[in-house]
Amino acid sequence: APIDRAALRRYPLLERFGFFGIRPDSAAGARELLAASRAVLGMERGILALTAQGRFGDVRPRPLAIKRGLALLLKEIPHARAVPVAIEYPFWNERLPECLIRFGAGVGADAGSADDLHAALGAALERTLDELATLAIARDPAPFEEVLAGRVGAGRLPDLAQRLRARLSGRRFDAAHGAIGRGADGV
């Protein structure tokens, strides 16, 4: 994954995870990115992670202003495919947010000219973002596969009174906010 060279100097540990430094917003930086991208995508199992807009930004404005370089890169390396990834951090029932991730359908060089491919990449990313937003708004965990579960509840100290009340009344205590109304004493 490319990252601003100055940021990589500040967080050198990221280099161990495959991040490489580039000079953003410069012709030299674009050449560096293309050279590194070609090298990564030339590997048998190479994966390149890019922010399509070339920066972190709000994903709600449409159309998304994605960089044209990805389409050119895909035309140059026809076996490669771009897979749009949407990530949201909504607050559902707990004090900490969920991390929701959705992968869209891959887009390859067969989508037409570089201009057609650029448009297809933007449309695929927008579709993936919109699908994830719809799922996040629904607040239903069923369509997601849980990979990592965190702690639930308001915290050890705030939950202490509720835990004691449940124990004294002979009920089971469940700290999850979603437990309220399911028969467990969450209040």
Side-chain angles (χ1 to χ4, degrees):
I3 187 173
D4 186 309
R5 187 173 286 162
L8 188 58
R9 278 194 301 270
R10 187 171 178 181
Y11 305 104
L13 178 67
L14 292 177
E15 210 164 353
R16 290 184 175 181
F17 297 107
F19 286 79
F20 57 91
I22 60 163
R23 291 174 283 178
D25 302 321
S26 70
R31 285 190 298 275
E32 292 169 351
L33 175 60
L34 285 173
S37 299
R38 285 184 196 110
V40 169
L41 295 176
M43 296 177 193
E44 185 177 335
R45 296 174 55 109
I47 296 174
L48 183 66
L50 298 171
T51 52
Q53 294 170 284
R55 60 177 171 71
F56 289 110
D58 197 317
V59 297
R60 292 173 287 196
R62 297 290 191 264
L64 283 177
I66 67 170
K67 298 284 188 175
R68 300 188 72 75
L70 179 56
L72 299 174
L73 186 63
L74 286 172
K75 290 308 268 183
E76 193 175 310
I77 306 172
H79 72 273
R81 297 197 57 80
V83 177
V85 179
I87 303 172
E88 281 203 31
Y89 298 94
F91 284 86
W92 279 357
N93 295 326
E94 301 302 330
R95 65 184 174 97
L96 298 175
E98 306 287 335
C99 176
L100 306 178
I101 302 174
R102 182 167 182 89
F103 295 90
V107 178
D110 55 348
S113 69
D115 287 339
D116 292 340
L117 182 53
H118 181 255
L121 291 166
L125 182 56
E126 287 180 6
R127 189 170 38 258
T128 305
L129 290 165
D130 293 343
E131 289 167 354
L132 182 59
T134 299
L135 292 169
I137 290 167
R139 298 171 55 102
D140 179 6
F144 297 97
E145 178 182 336
E146 187 175 281
V147 176
L148 183 64
R151 292 186 180 179
V152 296
R156 285 196 171 110
L157 190 57
D159 286 340
L160 182 61
Q162 305 307 323
R163 189 175 304 278
L164 287 172
R165 193 171 106 197
R167 178 173 278 173
L168 291 172
S169 64
R171 291 183 293 207
R172 184 180 67 83
F173 175 73
D174 186 345
H177 289 96
I180 298 171
R182 287 196 320 233
D185 191 356
V187 183

